[in-house]
Amino acid sequence: MPGLIYRLLIRPFLNMHLRNKLFVVFGLVSVVPLIFFAVYSYETMKSELTRQMYSNMLSTTDQIGSNLKMKLDSYSKVSSSLYLDSRLRDFLTMDYSDNNQYVDAYEYINSSFRNLLVTNTDLSSVTVYTTNLTLPTDQVFIKRAENDLMRYPWYSLASKSYGSVTFTVMPATNPTSEQVTQGLEERKPSRIVLARLLDNNSLNYPYGILTMDIPEVDIYALMAKENNNKELFIVSEDGAIISGKDKSKINHNLKEFVRGDWGNSKAGSFIGMYKGERVFVVFNSIDNGWKTVSIVSYNSLLMNVKIAFSRLFTIAIASLILSIILIYITARWFTIRIEKLLQLTRRIESEDFDVQAVSTWHDEVGLLSFAMMKMARRMKELINEVYKKEIAKKEAEMSMLQAQINPHFLYNTLASISSLAMRSGDNRIQDMVTHLAKFYRISLNKGKTIVGFAEELRLTKSYIAIQQLRFEGLLHIHYDIEEAALPYPVIKLMLQPFIENAINHGIWDDEAGINVIIKACIQEDTLVLHVIDDGMGMRPEKLERILGEEDGDGASGYGIRNVDRRIKLTFGDSYGVHIYSRLGIGTAVQILIPCRGAL
């Protein structure tokens, strides 16, 4: 089987011209991914839209549930203010058989209840059903707790709540005009009744029931803005609809309209049936057991996916046809240029270096053609240059051998001068030559450019000793060196140019001389060096010349710039030399070296 595949597919493909290979490969690369992309896109869009819809619905139900909980908590707090009002309790429990103090009671009750309704505009009424037969009723805020109240579900629920807050859904009432006139019934919209037994923690002596009517429209307002493209419901713990867009469904069980696996959990989601079509249902619960339910048509969700996919598929087919045409043209044009480039390569292979570029365009083939032309010319030049480089290499090796001999000759010469000075009894010349020998021994140091700071300090002291012999009594050096700074690596001959600059440009008083302070310390991960003198200082323009590119200030300026450049090349641009100087005051040099060593 593998051999058959090789004979029928692989071998014919390998023997094709490059143009045909490109066409076949580009065609397969276009068609196969397109089919895969179409299937993958459909499934991905469906999955992503479902996920986004679920996330959106879950966020909506959570937000509505949170707002609903806050609203019910606010009603509970309002009821608690009346439940715990000791003065209200006294008025409701007082015996008014032999006095007319009920006038004071009504003034207080009317004032308190009206203020409560003004500050809580979403409450339609507040009523206390009293069991005190001696307290006259006004049928507005105070009503008699009569036997006919027992037919209301909120009454039974509140009577068994032991003073806790209860919420009961009440449908809209539409009594006849005669019933309204006789006071038998009131016209009321759908509402939620907050009922609470007034016992003030004395379960044996309840003195009435407090009710507050909350219009259903105020509860529905919590989700009215979120009802676009979805249906939202608030249902009780047993599934009865408390609020929704369709008011006719209130007090009916939502499970009558939405078929599916509701389960027993407080939150969840499922795909069910609603109004004869598949829907996606998400629900969540709050502390009192009420649920917020969000319902979205699953078919409408898939319809959006199908519309998007059909548009995508149409564009993909048009793109495929166009790509096949462009692939053929490109493959043809590309292979012709490759063939010309192959001819150019064969000429160079036969040592014909006088060639011209086959393409003047600036794409990869054109650039490759240009590069090959330049390569051919360069090969001719390299053939001639290679001999010159070999000769230069030999000369450099000889110079290096000679440079290794020169330091030994210098040491021997200085030793001879020192011996002659000793025989002549001239100790100053002997000391100067000795210090000079030490200076060169350390500075040459077998060509090393990086030394420890301790060695650099010894080198600087040798140089200072020579200058102190020269400027006898005028050069005063002070050291403030931390022991921890001595082992860290620095560049060689780093401090000498700044000592030289202080001597050459700083001494202005032949009697007082100059004081130079050399300091070294470790700050965080940086070796910080200071060279400070109290010489005559420099003008800003002179300082600029020393630090500038042009050597406007002699060898000292070149030496200072040289140190700064060597530090930056060795340790990085964040390190180097900083100079501060004021005429008549002195000069301060700061050198920063990383403790980590060279790059």
Side-chain angles (χ1 to χ4, degrees):
M1 188 66 180
L4 182 62
I5 294 175
Y6 177 80
R7 289 196 305 272
L8 295 179
L9 297 177
I10 298 177
R11 188 167 63 184
F13 175 78
L14 294 176
N15 292 328
M16 285 182 182
H17 290 293
L18 179 60
R19 178 179 64 252
N20 297 333
K21 287 180 182 177
L22 290 175
F23 184 73
V24 170
V25 171
F26 287 164
L28 291 175
V29 168
S30 300
V31 174
V32 173
L34 179 62
I35 297 173
F36 173 78
F37 176 71
V39 176
Y40 177 77
S41 296
Y42 178 77
E43 295 297 329
T44 301
M45 283 190 292
K46 183 173 71 172
S47 175
E48 183 63 19
L49 284 177
T50 303
R51 187 192 65 79
Q52 290 181 2
M53 181 59 69
Y54 173 75
S55 178
N56 184 15
M57 294 170 69
L58 185 62
S59 175
T60 300
T61 55
D62 285 345
Q63 184 62 47
I64 294 172
S66 177
N67 294 341
L68 178 62
K69 183 178 181 301
M70 290 175 60
K71 202 169 189 67
L72 297 181
D73 287 344
S74 68
Y75 295 144
S76 298
K77 290 178 181 178
V78 171
S79 71
S80 295
S81 66
L82 299 178
Y83 178 77
L84 299 174
D85 190 338
S86 58
R87 191 174 180 189
L88 175 63
R89 180 194 60 201
D90 293 341
F91 280 132
L92 292 175
T93 57
M94 185 180 294
D95 187 358
Y96 298 99
S97 301
D98 299 325
N99 57 63
N100 58 356
Q101 290 185 2
Y102 66 86
V103 176
D104 296 335
Y106 271 104
E107 288 181 356
Y108 179 77
I109 291 171
N110 287 342
S111 174
S112 299
F113 284 23
R114 289 186 189 279
N115 289 337
L116 188 145
L117 290 173
V118 169
T119 55
N120 297 273
T121 55
D122 47 354
L123 295 177
S124 59
S125 66
V126 179
T127 306
V128 172
Y129 292 90
T130 180
T131 57
N132 188 351
L133 299 178
T134 64
L135 175 64
T137 61
D138 61 357
Q139 297 302 319
V140 178
F141 295 127
I142 304 297
K143 295 183 180 180
R144 191 75 63 204
E146 299 175 343
N147 292 333
D148 61 343
L149 289 178
M150 295 182 182
R151 61 189 175 93
Y152 295 116
W154 58 261
Y155 180 84
S156 175
L157 193 61
S159 300
K160 301 174 183 178
S161 66
Y162 303 106
S164 299
V165 175
T166 64
F167 292 96
T168 307
V169 182
M170 297 297 293
T173 58
N174 190 24
T176 63
S177 300
E178 184 179 354
Q179 289 175 321
V180 173
T181 304
Q182 294 177 0
L184 298 177
E185 191 72 62
E186 298 182 32
R187 286 194 180 94
K188 291 186 177 181
S190 299
R191 64 198 185 281
I192 292 90
V193 176
L194 182 154
R196 190 170 191 174
L197 184 67
L198 297 175
D199 55 11
N200 200 6
N201 299 323
S202 178
L203 302 179
N204 296 326
Y205 301 102
Y207 54 89
I209 294 179
L210 170 67
T211 64
M212 295 180 179
D213 284 358
I214 306 164
E216 182 272 337
V217 293
D218 287 330
I219 300 297
Y220 179 72
L222 297 174
M223 54 185 179
K225 293 182 179 180
E226 303 290 341
N227 241 338
N228 296 329
N229 301 324
K230 65 174 74 74
E231 285 206 43
L232 296 168
F233 294 97
I234 296 175
V235 300
S236 64
E237 190 172 8
D238 59 0
I241 298 175
I242 297 172
S243 180
K245 186 175 182 180
D246 188 352
K247 308 304 179 186
S248 64
K249 293 185 174 68
I250 293 177
N251 268 359
H252 290 80
N253 197 301
L254 184 59
K255 294 179 182 179
E256 298 176 7
F257 306 101
V258 181
R259 306 293 182 182
D261 183 13
W262 287 89
N264 297 319
S265 60
K266 293 184 178 180
S269 62
F270 62 89
I271 296 177
M273 296 296 295
Y274 177 65
K275 294 182 179 179
E277 65 174 332
R278 296 179 71 198
V279 292
F280 195 51
V281 182
V282 175
F283 60 92
N284 200 1
S285 301
I286 61 175
D287 294 344
N288 68 348
W290 289 10
K291 291 185 177 71
T292 54
V293 182
S294 178
I295 301 174
V296 172
S297 172
Y298 196 74
N299 292 331
S300 65
L301 176 65
L302 293 183
M303 183 60 66
N304 294 332
V305 177
K306 291 176 180 178
I307 292 173
F309 177 73
S310 63
R311 293 174 180 173
L312 180 64
F313 187 75
T314 302
I315 295 172
I317 292 297
S319 300
L320 177 61
I321 296 172
L322 180 62
S323 66
I324 290 175
I325 296 173
L326 292 177
I327 286 169
Y328 179 79
I329 295 173
T330 303
R332 175 66 178 167
W333 171 73
F334 184 76
T335 52
I336 289 175
R337 299 174 70 206
I338 292 292
E339 290 170 357
K340 291 182 178 179
L341 192 60
L342 179 60
Q343 294 174 2
L344 179 64
T345 306
R346 288 174 177 171
R347 288 182 60 186
I348 296 174
E349 182 184 7
S350 61
E351 299 183 3
D352 180 6
F353 300 121
D354 298 323
V355 295
Q356 298 294 328
V358 299
S359 175
T360 58
W361 295 325
H362 295 285
D363 60 356
E364 286 78 0
V365 176
L367 293 175
L368 182 59
S369 175
F370 254 134
M372 292 185 68
M373 181 185 67
K374 292 177 67 177
M375 180 186 68
R377 294 175 182 175
R378 185 61 178 160
M379 285 175 68
K380 290 181 67 176
E381 296 174 0
L382 289 175
I383 291 173
N384 296 325
E385 290 178 2
V386 67
Y387 300 109
K388 296 179 181 179
K389 288 184 178 180
E390 287 294 328
I391 294 173
K393 182 179 178 182
K394 296 295 183 181
E395 291 178 350
E397 290 176 354
M398 293 296 295
S399 298
M400 290 178 63
L401 292 173
Q402 183 65 35
Q404 293 177 2
I405 298 172
N406 289 338
H408 296 286
F409 173 74
L410 178 62
Y411 297 151
N412 294 334
T413 303
L414 290 175
S416 299
I417 296 172
S418 177
S419 176
L420 291 174
M422 185 183 299
R423 293 175 184 176
S424 301
D426 194 335
N427 294 330
R428 293 186 62 205
I429 295 177
Q430 181 187 357
D431 291 342
M432 184 175 290
V433 170
T434 301
H435 290 308
L436 182 60
K438 290 180 180 179
F439 177 82
Y440 277 112
R441 185 178 297 111
I442 298 173
S443 62
L444 294 172
N445 197 15
K446 298 181 181 179
K448 292 182 180 178
T449 59
I450 304 294
V451 297
F453 178 63
E455 192 171 358
E456 171 67 12
L457 191 60
R458 286 196 300 272
L459 176 65
T460 304
K461 288 181 178 180
S462 297
Y463 175 78
I464 291 171
I466 295 170
Q467 297 300 328
Q468 283 179 328
L469 290 172
R470 177 186 173 191
F471 299 96
E472 186 173 1
L474 295 179
L475 184 57
H476 310 289
I477 306 297
H478 309 277
Y479 297 96
D480 182 9
I481 308 297
E482 289 185 1
E483 289 292 331
L486 295 177
Y488 288 103
V490 298
I491 63 170
K492 187 168 61 180
L493 287 174
M494 179 180 63
L495 297 176
Q496 182 270 335
F498 302 104
I499 304 297
E500 179 183 357
N501 187 69
I503 294 171
N504 292 342
H505 301 284
I507 297 178
W508 59 278
D509 188 341
D510 292 338
E511 295 182 359
I514 188 171
N515 290 285
V516 179
I517 301 173
I518 300 175
K519 301 173 64 176
C521 62
I522 301 297
Q523 295 182 4
E524 296 182 354
D525 294 330
T526 304
L527 172 60
V528 181
L529 308 175
H530 294 276
V531 180
I532 306 170
D533 68 71
D534 60 355
M536 66 183 299
M538 292 179 283
R539 298 180 184 276
E541 55 270 20
K542 185 174 183 179
L543 182 60
E544 289 179 5
R545 288 201 304 271
I546 289 177
L547 297 176
E549 290 296 328
E550 297 181 359
D551 186 4
D553 211 81
S556 62
Y558 175 79
I560 291 170
R561 291 194 301 275
N562 181 275
V563 170
D564 183 56
R565 290 170 184 167
R566 286 194 294 144
I567 290 174
K568 285 179 166 54
L569 288 172
T570 306
F571 301 107
D573 292 338
S574 301
Y575 304 94
V577 178
H578 304 279
I579 302 178
Y580 312 92
S581 183
R582 291 187 62 183
L583 188 64
I585 295 178
T587 302
V589 177
Q590 183 189 59
I591 305 173
L592 302 178
I593 303 290
C595 294
R596 58 170 166 76
L599 293 173

